[in-house]
Amino acid sequence: MAGSRALDGAPSAADEDKPETPALIATLPATYRRLWPLAIAAALLYGLSLAAAPYPGQAAAKAAMGVLLLAAGSTCGAPRERAWLCAALATAVLGDVLLALPDWRLSFVLGLGAFLLTHLCYCTIFFRWRARPHGWRIVALVGLWIAAPAFYAAFFPHLGELLAPVAVYMLVLCVMASFALAARTRGPLVAVGSLIFVGSDTLIGVGRFLGGFPGIDYLIWGLYALAQVTIVAGVFHETAARSIRP
C-alpha cells in the first residue's frame, strides 16, 4: 500500500508466509492453547444444531464459539493487539446473537452494524502491520475489488432501504481484507482468514437478496467459524513471533 512502512521487528520478505514452528507455538499462552480447540468444538456443535433450527437458546449456542475465542483473545501478550482483538471478538459475539433473532425486525441491520465494528477493529490491528503486498496476495486483492462491486450490483435491485448500509458494510469488509492481505506477517493465517470471512458474508448476501440454496446456512456458518478461528490464530502467532524475534 502507498505510504506503507516496515515495522520495528517486522519479518523480512523472506520470512513472510513461512509456517509456524513448534518453538513458536510453545510460546503461545497455555490458556489460549486450551480454549482455541474448545472454540472449534463449539463451532462444530452449533453447525450440527442447525438441522434443528430455530430452537430455544439458539442465540446462546451460536455465541459460544465467540465467547471462547474472546476468552482466548484476552490472553494475547501484545497489549495493543489484545485490546483490539477482544473488541473485534466482543462485537462479533453481539452480531452473532443479533443475527440469531430473525423474528426481530431490526436484527439484520443491528447485526450488520455489530460486524462492521468487528471489521474496523481488525483493520486497526492489520493496518499497523502494513507493507507492500506481493505474489498471491496481489492476485487476491485484485480479485477482491473486482468481485465486491459485481456482487453489490447483483444485490442492488433487492436492497431497498438497505442500499446504503450494505454498501458501507461491503466497503469496510473489503478494506479489512485488503489490510490483511497487505500485512507483513510471518504466516498467511490472517490473510486467508480475512478472505474466508469475505466469502461467508458474501453468502449471507446471496441468501438474503438473491435466494438461498440447500445447505447455504451450513456453509455460511462453517466459513465464518473457520475465518474467526484462523484470524485469531494468525494474530496470536504473529504477536508471539514478533515478541521472540531478535
Side-chain angles (χ1 to χ4, degrees):
M1 290 200 159
S4 65
R5 59 182 174 79
L7 301 171
D8 291 339
S12 66
D15 286 335
E16 291 184 49
D17 295 346
K18 281 187 177 180
E20 305 298 338
T21 63
L24 177 59
I25 294 173
T27 68
L28 300 174
T31 303
Y32 164 82
R33 284 183 276 142
R34 287 194 298 268
L35 291 175
W36 189 77
L38 290 177
I40 295 174
L44 290 173
L45 288 173
Y46 178 74
L48 292 173
S49 79
L50 288 174
Y55 56 86
Q58 183 176 350
K62 187 177 185 182
M65 177 197 72
V67 170
L68 288 165
L69 287 177
L70 176 57
S74 69
T75 68
C76 180
R80 181 183 178 281
E81 280 79 5
R82 179 175 63 244
W84 288 110
L85 180 61
C86 288
L89 294 170
T91 53
V93 169
L94 177 60
D96 286 337
V97 171
L98 289 168
L99 294 179
L101 304 172
D103 293 335
W104 186 27
R105 186 175 62 87
L106 296 177
S107 67
F108 183 78
V109 174
L110 293 179
L112 204 69
F115 276 108
L116 184 140
L117 294 175
T118 298
H119 298 314
L120 288 173
C121 292
Y122 281 144
C123 282
T124 305
I125 297 173
F126 305 151
F127 182 73
R128 185 168 179 264
W129 300 343
R130 65 195 184 277
R132 291 188 182 277
H134 63 278
W136 68 270
R137 294 171 182 256
I138 294 177
V139 176
L141 278 167
V142 172
L144 174 69
W145 287 100
I146 291 175
F151 274 103
Y152 185 75
F155 298 156
F156 188 88
H158 313 282
L159 291 175
E161 61 185 10
L162 295 175
L163 196 75
V166 170
V168 171
Y169 183 85
M170 291 183 68
L171 177 62
V172 173
L173 175 65
C174 290
V175 169
M176 182 277 291
S178 297
F179 285 168
L181 286 165
R184 177 172 291 173
T185 56
R186 188 175 181 87
L189 290 175
V190 163
V192 171
S194 74
L195 291 177
I196 297 172
F197 213 138
V198 171
S200 175
D201 280 359
T202 301
L203 285 176
I204 291 176
V206 169
R208 184 175 179 90
F209 303 119
L210 301 181
F213 52 83
I216 189 172
D217 290 337
Y218 294 97
L219 189 55
I220 289 170
W221 174 255
L223 289 175
Y224 166 69
L226 181 60
Q228 288 286 62
V229 298
T230 302
I231 290 173
V232 170
V235 171
F236 264 86
H237 290 182
E238 178 61 19
T239 54
R242 288 169 187 258
S243 69
I244 65 175
R245 189 177 295 118

Tab-separated table of all heavy atoms in Angstrom, residues 41 74 153 238:
chain	number	residue	atom	x	y	z
A	41	ALA	N	-14.626	-26.803	18.731
A	41	ALA	CA	-15.642	-27.792	19.086
A	41	ALA	C	-17.017	-27.144	19.205
A	41	ALA	O	-18.025	-27.701	18.730
A	41	ALA	CB	-15.261	-28.484	20.393
A	74	SER	N	-8.161	-12.691	25.231
A	74	SER	CA	-7.775	-11.880	26.385
A	74	SER	C	-6.403	-12.251	26.932
A	74	SER	O	-5.852	-11.528	27.763
A	74	SER	CB	-8.822	-12.008	27.496
A	74	SER	OG	-8.807	-13.315	28.051
A	153	ALA	N	-23.668	-5.023	-7.285
A	153	ALA	CA	-24.551	-4.762	-8.422
A	153	ALA	C	-25.650	-5.827	-8.515
A	153	ALA	O	-26.797	-5.518	-8.851
A	153	ALA	CB	-23.741	-4.737	-9.711
A	238	GLU	N	1.390	-14.200	15.108
A	238	GLU	CA	2.182	-13.051	14.680
A	238	GLU	C	2.730	-12.282	15.874
A	238	GLU	O	3.911	-11.899	15.894
A	238	GLU	CB	1.341	-12.120	13.803
A	238	GLU	CG	2.077	-10.874	13.350
A	238	GLU	CD	3.307	-11.150	12.517
A	238	GLU	OE1	3.429	-12.271	11.977
A	238	GLU	OE2	4.190	-10.267	12.441
